[in-house]
Amino acid sequence: MTRIYAWWASWADLLGGLWRSRRLIAIASAGQGLVEYALVVTLVAVLAIAVLLFLGGHLTDTFNAVGGDLANPTMTAGPTPGPTAKPTATPKPTKSPKPTATPKPTKTPKPTPTP
């Protein structure tokens, strides 16, 4: 009987060790993923700051122009329009022709009796 317990204990130790090592690998890989995520976020932040420093003056001018347009809206969009064309005169309506009188129907002759 002691052999069975010894055998069972050895398997329990083996499985427990595997379970513990699996958990350690999972924790280590989660930490690795977190480090990679932090590196990507840092890279994106550095690139965003570099773009803002490079294009900062142009973006400021664009935002100021948009803000000025929003503060003082105009009726036309886009560039200022050129001279407007004068409207053409509305043509006078023509008289419609008078309808012709419809002819009155003629009476049909009565048939004559045949002998």
Side-chain angles (χ1 to χ4, degrees), residues 44-90:
V44 168
V46 167
L47 288 175
I49 291 171
V51 167
L52 287 176
L53 288 176
F54 184 69
L55 299 174
H58 183 66
L59 289 175
T60 302
D61 295 340
T62 303
F63 285 136
N64 287 336
V66 169
D69 288 344
L70 291 176
N72 302 319
T74 58
M75 295 302 288
T76 59
T80 56
T84 57
K86 292 182 181 178
T88 58
T90 307

Side-chain angles (χ1 to χ4, degrees), residues 13-105:
D13 288 341
L14 178 65
L15 292 176
L18 288 175
W19 178 254
R20 282 190 297 276
S21 65
R22 185 174 145 295
R23 284 185 57 206
L24 289 175
I25 291 171
I27 291 171
S29 64
Q32 179 184 1
L34 183 64
V35 170
E36 290 174 356
Y37 178 73
L39 286 174
V40 169
V41 169
T42 304
L43 178 66
V44 168
V46 167
L47 288 175
I49 291 171
V51 167
L52 287 176
L53 288 176
F54 184 69
L55 299 174
H58 183 66
L59 289 175
T60 302
D61 295 340
T62 303
F63 285 136
N64 287 336
V66 169
D69 288 344
L70 291 176
N72 302 319
T74 58
M75 295 302 288
T76 59
T80 56
T84 57
K86 292 182 181 178
T88 58
T90 307
K92 293 182 180 178
T94 58
K95 292 184 178 180
S96 58
K98 291 183 179 178
T100 58
T102 56
K104 291 184 179 179

